[in-house]
Structures are given as structure tokens and as C-alpha cells.
């Protein structure tokens, strides 16, 4: 499983994301210019949604914005920033067997991934931005549960990018964690998934 570490440039003043966001602005810009670049080196089209909960009607409460939109763009990349409170608890049940998996009308993460898969074209990208959370005093990582749900809905895992929240100073990194992050969290995770077409 390929893993990459992204660090802010020396000219980046804000290493941490804005309150309520998962990724810092420099990382979102890097997605468009490095992860999904176009031949003319302009930022690729990107739709960003902020998922703050997984209760019924979650889609209606997602804030969204479109970046670098172009009528000539061929593909679509969806960036879902997942608020730590919306992530599966460590004891969350594993996804149901394929034959029993609920469809796009289902609430919660299974339904979200099914709807995202229907929205994206074949080989479209879904980017999940998340960070660890603290449960009963212990940092937990939700990525395994999220990737399992995404695979069941028809996505292929491509890459894991670690987005460091730190300032480069000389030959070292000085932590700059988000103000609303749990104690001990100094990075966010960016998971790259590709939509698989169905025959």
C-alpha cells in the first residue's frame, strides 16, 4: 500500500487547517496541481464536500464547493472532508456481506459511498480526508472501516497520503496541530480511491 507524506512549503504560513476543516488550504491546492494535474498545469476540477454527521438526511447538510471548474474537464474528483465526530467508532460493525449490502438510500457511511460511486464516472476519484480521534482517551484510526465500506460500494484503494500539520524550520519540523484536533494529532490522512465501473 503506497504511502506518501506531504509537507507544507517554507512559504506556507498556515500549516494547520482552518477550524472545522480537515485539510489545510495548501494541501487542497496541492491536490489540484500535483495529484490530479492537467496537461496545461492548471488546477484540475474538484468538488469538495464537508461531512459533519451521518444521521438521516446527511446529504442535505453537507456544505460543498466547486474549485477550478471547467466545462471542458473530462473527469470529476470528489473530495470528502470527514469531521472526526462523523467517523465510525472503533467498535462499529464490519460491512455486511456483498449480497446483503444496502443501496444508495441507506444512511451512514455505506449509503454515502454508494451515492458517491453513482455520482462519479468510471475511474473518477474519491478523496477521503480524515484524521484520528480520541475515544476513551485512546487515539483511534477510522481508515480501515472507511476503506472497507468504500471497497464494498465499488471503489479501489490507490494511495494513502499523510498531510503533516507542521512548520518547516531549518532542518526540522515544528508541530502546528489544528486548534480543534484531539491532543496528539499532528497530521491528517488523505485516502485516494478510484471508482470501478460495473459490467
Amino acid at each position: 500500500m503506497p504511502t506518501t507524506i506531504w509537507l507544507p512549503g517554507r512559504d506556507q504560513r498556515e500549516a494547520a487547517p482552518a477550524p472545522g476543516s480537515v485539510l489545510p488550504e495548501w494541501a487542497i491546492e496541492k491536490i489540484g496541481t500535483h495529484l490530479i494535474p492537467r496537461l496545461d498545469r492548471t488546477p484540475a476540477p474538484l468538488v469538495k464536500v464537508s461531512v459533519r454527521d451521518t444521521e438521516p438526511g446527511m446529504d442535505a447538510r453537507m456544505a460543498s464547493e466547486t474549485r477550478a471548474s471547467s466545462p471542458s474537464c473530462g473527469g470529476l474528483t470528489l473530495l470528502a472532508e470527514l469531521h472526526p465526530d462523523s467517523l465510525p467508532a472503533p467498535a462499529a460493525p464490519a460491512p455486511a456481506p456483498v449480497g446483503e449490502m444496502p443501496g444508495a438510500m441507506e444512511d451512514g457511511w455505506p449509503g454515502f459511498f454508494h451515492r458517491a460511486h453513482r455520482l462519479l464516472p468510471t475511474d473518477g476519484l474519491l478523496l477521503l480526508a480524515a484524521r484520528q480521534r480520541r475515544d476513551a482517551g485512546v487515539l483511534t484510526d477510522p481508515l480501515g472501516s472507511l476503506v472497507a465500506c468504500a471497497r464494498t460500494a465499488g471503489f479501489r484503494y490507490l494511495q494513502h497520503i499523510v498531510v503533516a500539520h507542521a512548520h518547516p524550520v531549518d532542518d526540522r519540523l515544528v508541530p502546528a496541530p489544528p486548534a480543534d484536533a484531539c491532543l496528539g494529532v499532528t497530521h491528517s490522512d488523505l485516502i485516494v480511491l478510484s471508482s470501478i465501473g460495473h459490467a
Side-chain angles (χ1 to χ4, degrees):
M1 293 188 178
T3 301
T4 302
I5 298 176
W6 280 2
L7 301 170
R10 295 190 180 277
D11 59 339
Q12 299 293 341
R13 296 177 181 232
E14 294 296 326
S21 296
V22 177
L23 293 179
E25 187 61 31
W26 66 262
I28 296 174
E29 291 174 2
K30 192 166 184 174
I31 288 171
T33 58
H34 289 73
L35 189 60
I36 47 173
R38 299 196 293 184
L39 293 178
D40 61 1
R41 299 186 184 274
T42 59
L46 179 71
V47 176
K48 177 185 164 211
V49 296
S50 298
V51 183
R52 305 210 42 97
D53 69 82
T54 55
E55 299 301 315
M58 61 186 285
D59 292 355
R61 292 186 296 277
M62 287 184 200
S64 66
E65 62 178 288
T66 303
R67 293 168 175 250
S69 180
S70 169
S72 63
C73 67
L76 172 64
T77 298
L78 178 63
L79 167 62
E81 283 198 322
L82 315 179
H83 189 274
D85 291 343
S86 72
L87 297 173
V98 174
E100 302 173 18
M101 191 66 193
M105 295 305 293
E106 182 70 16
D107 294 316
W109 288 116
F112 170 81
F113 286 115
H114 277 278
R115 291 188 294 277
H117 190 266
R118 288 186 181 186
L119 171 71
L120 291 170
T122 300
D123 295 329
L125 293 180
L126 172 63
L127 310 178
L128 301 179
R131 62 176 178 247
Q132 294 173 326
R133 69 185 212 182
R134 194 171 290 278
D135 292 292
V138 177
L139 281 176
T140 59
D141 190 343
L143 298 183
S145 298
L146 291 171
V147 170
C149 280
R151 282 180 166 163
T152 304
F155 287 97
R156 178 186 297 118
Y157 171 91
L158 297 180
Q159 188 175 15
H160 176 196
I161 298 170
V162 174
V163 179
H165 303 310
H167 288 292
V169 177
D170 297 326
D171 62 348
R172 61 193 175 92
L173 292 173
V174 177
D180 57 351
C182 296
L183 183 65
V185 173
T186 57
H187 76 277
S188 293
D189 297 291
L190 182 62
I191 301 299
V192 184
L193 303 161
S194 176
S195 176
I196 303 171
H198 297 295

